[in-house]
Amino acid sequence: MIVVMKQRSSEDDLKRVVDLAKSFDFETNISKGAEKTIVGIIGDNVYERREAFEALNCVEEVIPVLKPFKLVSKEFHPEKTVIEIGTEKIGEKFQFIAGPCSVESKDQMEREAEFLSNLGIKFLRGGAFKPRTSPYAFQGLGIDGLKILKEVGEKYDMRIVSEMMAPEDISIFEEYVDVIQVGTRNMQNYRLLEQLGHSTKPVMLKRGFMSTVEEWLLAGEYLYYHGNSQIILCERGIRTFEKYTRNTLDISAVPLVKILSHLPIIVDLSHATGRRDLIPPLAKAVVAVGADGVMIEVHENPEKALSDGQQSLNFEEFASTYDTSMDLVKMMEEI
């Protein structure tokens, strides 16, 4: 339920609304806009108590939230959420998240980080624990990979993004990683989401490869409900009958999520396509539809990468894609 406060309501008026909600054991979320203050209220049979809130002279309107997801909805929180990660932000300006699919060695990550930081990239991605379809594929360096990421990130002043697969690893990731990624296979791992809901770290939630937008947002609702509002949504393509690409990029999901939710959304082009030749043109599309950023796999020698080399850009290709995309970002800002 949403309680819309009258335009000139005071802090005391706001406190009356919050205190009334607490008396019913309801949870509240306050969103202060330029003109109005909105209080989102969640609880069992909450709308049945609407008359008590309507009776307050500081309340202009009481509106039910009909969507199955509440906390992540734009109705509940009209103001856009910006995630602060150290000195960097996601949701305020277009961001690039880049790096190899897997951490292979310290020397490799040193070269990657030096190259990317010289371009101005502030977010370094790299897989330490790799969920592979085949048990014979490279599974990552594990905690040693996380240690390499942290050391390199501190040296080049970059925020680290890496995928966590198991709830029992949360303390390790909170020590070494700045943004914890939930992969497509774990989007509906509710035990994992519940644990991450108690984390102080931002969570990048990838869309399940066979999940609807509603199911994706409900997964975000799990994180928010359990206490973590620092959620970055990541569209990474869905499985269809198409065979020429690894997945099918649902570019329409970006503006749709912007309509439905206040959370920032980025696009993982490497997993969405599985082809490096499609990444540069689609990076332009990501900017054009209003995404908050893009994630791209980069490797100094993709042909020799231990995982996903076919969908990784080399340094020259990435630099060209970055320059073209940022030119388009500046153009869009001027329109």
Side-chain angles (χ1 to χ4, degrees), residues 8-200:
R8 293 176 179 166
S9 297
S10 65
E11 288 297 323
D12 287 340
D13 291 330
L14 179 59
K15 186 176 184 301
R16 289 167 60 203
V17 173
V18 172
D19 287 346
L20 179 59
K22 287 181 179 178
S23 71
F24 296 128
D25 291 326
F26 296 155
E27 296 182 31
T28 60
N29 183 81
I30 300 169
S31 178
K32 293 185 178 182
E35 297 181 357
K36 292 182 180 179
T37 296
I38 290 176
V39 182
I41 301 176
I42 288 181
D44 293 334
N45 303 315
V46 63
Y47 197 58
E48 294 177 5
R49 301 286 189 174
R50 67 187 184 277
E51 292 183 358
F53 292 92
E54 289 171 338
L56 298 176
N57 58 17
C58 58
V59 172
E60 179 177 301
E61 188 178 9
V62 177
I63 307 169
V65 178
L66 300 178
K67 295 183 180 69
F69 46 89
K70 316 294 184 187
L71 294 164
V72 304
S73 75
K74 200 147 193 182
E75 292 170 314
F76 191 80
H77 191 295
E79 300 300 310
K80 181 179 179 180
T81 291
V82 176
I83 310 297
E84 295 188 12
I85 306 158
T87 58
E88 300 302 318
K89 297 178 181 179
I90 291 183
E92 186 174 74
K93 65 178 182 178
F94 194 86
Q95 292 279 12
F96 266 78
I97 302 171
C101 175
S102 300
V103 178
E104 299 171 6
S105 69
K106 184 180 177 183
D107 288 343
Q108 169 226 16
M109 293 308 302
E110 283 268 4
R111 292 189 292 272
E112 291 265 357
E114 182 179 18
F115 164 71
L116 293 169
S117 64
N118 285 338
L119 285 176
I121 307 294
K122 290 296 184 180
F123 289 89
L124 177 65
R125 61 143 293 145
F129 296 85
K130 296 300 301 177
R132 311 300 294 168
T133 302
S134 169
Y136 306 109
F138 177 60
Q139 304 290 315
L141 298 180
I143 189 169
D144 289 336
L146 293 181
K147 290 178 179 178
I148 290 171
L149 284 168
K150 183 174 183 179
E151 184 177 344
V152 171
E154 289 176 347
K155 180 177 179 178
Y156 291 95
D157 190 27
M158 300 181 78
R159 311 290 86 77
I160 299 302
V161 181
S162 194
E163 181 176 352
M164 176 178 146
M165 295 164 50
E168 58 267 24
D169 291 337
I170 190 166
S171 61
I172 300 172
F173 273 75
E174 287 184 332
E175 181 178 355
Y176 292 105
V177 171
D178 297 297
V179 179
I180 299 174
Q181 175 182 305
V182 175
T184 185
R185 295 171 178 83
N186 274 317
M187 189 206 80
Q188 290 179 304
N189 182 342
Y190 299 120
R191 171 65 175 154
L192 178 64
L193 297 180
E194 181 179 342
Q195 288 295 310
L196 288 173
H198 300 296
S199 176
T200 59

Side-chain angles (χ1 to χ4, degrees), residues 183-236:
T184 185
R185 295 171 178 83
N186 274 317
M187 189 206 80
Q188 290 179 304
N189 182 342
Y190 299 120
R191 171 65 175 154
L192 178 64
L193 297 180
E194 181 179 342
Q195 288 295 310
L196 288 173
H198 300 296
S199 176
T200 59
K201 295 287 185 177
V203 175
M204 178 190 295
L205 180 64
K206 282 195 168 187
R207 181 180 179 182
F209 61 86
M210 296 186 70
S211 298
T212 65
V213 169
E214 183 175 292
E215 290 167 338
W216 183 22
L217 291 174
L218 280 168
E221 191 82 0
Y222 261 86
L223 292 166
Y224 213 121
Y225 178 79
H226 287 285
N228 194 341
S229 61
Q230 301 178 92
I231 305 165
I232 304 158
L233 298 173
C234 181
E235 165 61 40
R236 48 81 67 209

